[in-house]
Amino acid sequence: MAGPLLEEQLIKPKHDWQDLTSKIVKKLKLKYEPVGIYLVPAHHSERYEKFFETIPRPIGKLTYCQAVETVRGSTNYSGLPQPPDILRLKAEDFLCAAGAANLGLYELPQSIKNGERDFLLRRFYSLETSKITRQMIPHLEPGSISEVIIFKLSKAPAEPQVVLVFGLPAQILSLEGPYLMKKGGRLNIDLLGTCGVCSEMTVSPLLNRKMNFSLLCGGARSHAFHDPAEMGAGIPAEEFPELVENLLNRQNIPMRQTLPDNLK
């Protein structure tokens, strides 16, 4: 029988996430601070319960995008009186079945998994292309995750597994150079424009162990993120401290955030 685990073994933050948050927000002039994600494994999930039991869950259902939007402080979709800095989602709290399935909380509904839903919505010319595309969307093993902890990065209750950064294209693209500063090479972005926050920004960085960009998706923009100029990046948390260090050390790249007068 599995014995108890200590907080230091499981979740205790290993970095100063408040300091890292302050540095990246100031450097990039971000409107919102990054969001941290911690996925609680279903295997022996009872060993984690005591660490997260005081974190509020939403009143009613919401999408993963709405939970992220709520925590970062833009719009409160949680049903709670005040927007929480930390939110806890179990499978029954999810409004979007695809998002919950991508994050590993349960199996994707059959009508989505076999491509039928997207085909009937006229997103594809054939059932086969719809099915193939759906199968290629990054997702975690069904039932492998018991709950999702979403938090302002500066308030990290646990060492995050993925960090989500949102901003204008110039701000997000400013992460590319610092990310490759020591390792070199190029980034191959895993992008479809479907499941933009749950899959492209959260699951893809976890599975591929590299930063990934997202232009968000129709669902995210419809239900949560209403700024049409916004995009995002998902970064494996273990790479985030070095990324911030490199960002501070790299030569500044001019970022124009307003149109020059002759183009207005």
Side-chain angles (χ1 to χ4, degrees):
M1 181 176 178
L5 290 179
L6 300 176
E7 182 179 2
E8 289 77 10
Q9 295 174 290
L10 280 176
I11 69 164
K12 187 175 181 179
K14 300 177 179 63
H15 297 91
D16 187 342
W17 293 103
Q18 185 173 6
D19 181 59
L20 290 167
T21 298
S22 176
K23 287 176 178 176
I24 193 172
V25 168
K26 181 179 179 180
K27 181 67 175 179
L28 295 183
K29 299 184 170 103
L30 296 175
K31 185 176 181 180
Y32 302 104
E33 72 172 75
V35 173
I37 306 297
Y38 187 90
L39 304 176
V40 180
H43 185 63
H44 290 313
S45 61
E46 71 281 356
R47 301 164 88 180
Y48 296 78
E49 185 67 28
K50 65 179 179 179
F51 302 123
F52 301 120
E53 60 187 1
T54 60
I55 296 174
R57 291 170 59 189
I59 299 173
K61 296 179 181 290
L62 76 176
T63 68
Y64 180 64
C65 310
Q66 289 174 331
V68 171
E69 175 81 332
T70 293
V71 164
R72 75 173 188 168
S74 178
T75 306
N76 185 8
Y77 293 101
S78 70
L80 298 167
Q82 298 295 326
D85 291 334
I86 309 173
L87 199 57
R88 179 185 182 197
L89 297 184
K90 290 182 174 288
E92 57 266 31
D93 299 320
F94 278 82
L95 183 62
C96 176
N102 289 335
L103 293 166
L105 279 91
Y106 49 68
E107 183 71 67
L108 197 67
Q110 191 61 28
S111 62
I112 301 178
K113 187 177 182 180
N114 64 18
E116 181 181 350
R117 187 199 68 168
D118 292 340
F119 173 63
L120 292 176
L121 290 173
R122 297 188 179 182
R123 294 175 180 169
F124 295 91
Y125 277 121
S126 73
L127 186 61
E128 184 61 23
T129 54
S130 178
K131 181 178 180 179
I132 290 172
T133 305
R134 177 59 60 176
Q135 290 174 340
M136 293 181 70
I137 294 175
H139 59 276
L140 299 177
E141 190 68 26
S144 62
I145 301 300
S146 66
E147 56 187 312
V148 182
I149 313 298
I150 305 166
F151 46 89
K152 276 187 170 70
L153 191 60
S154 64
K155 307 289 186 182
E159 185 76 358
Q161 295 156 343
V162 182
V163 176
L164 313 182
V165 181
F166 296 91
L168 299 173
Q171 293 169 316
I172 298 303
L173 292 175
S174 293
L175 298 172
E176 174 272 333
Y179 182 78
L180 296 172
M181 227 171 135
K182 290 186 179 179
K183 62 184 73 175
R186 292 177 63 85
L187 276 173
N188 295 314
I189 302 302
D190 178 19
L191 178 66
L192 175 65
T194 298
C195 303
V197 182
C198 58
S199 181
E200 293 176 352
M201 290 182 66
T202 305
V203 177
S204 180
L206 272 174
L207 293 179
N208 298 319
R209 309 315 309 168
K210 65 177 185 178
M211 179 170 70
N212 194 45
F213 291 160
S214 176
L215 300 176
L216 307 184
C217 62
R221 294 194 181 278
S222 174
H223 297 297
F225 303 97
H226 301 308
D227 183 349
E230 197 170 32
M231 63 178 291
I235 304 151
E238 68 269 18
E239 296 186 326
F240 190 79
E242 183 177 286
L243 172 60
V244 173
E245 177 189 349
N246 294 345
L247 181 66
L248 297 177
N249 290 334
R250 194 169 191 260
Q251 180 182 359
N252 286 335
I253 304 298
M255 292 191 297
R256 186 184 296 281
Q257 297 185 30
T258 58
L259 287 173
D261 289 339
N262 65 323
L263 293 179
K264 288 183 179 179

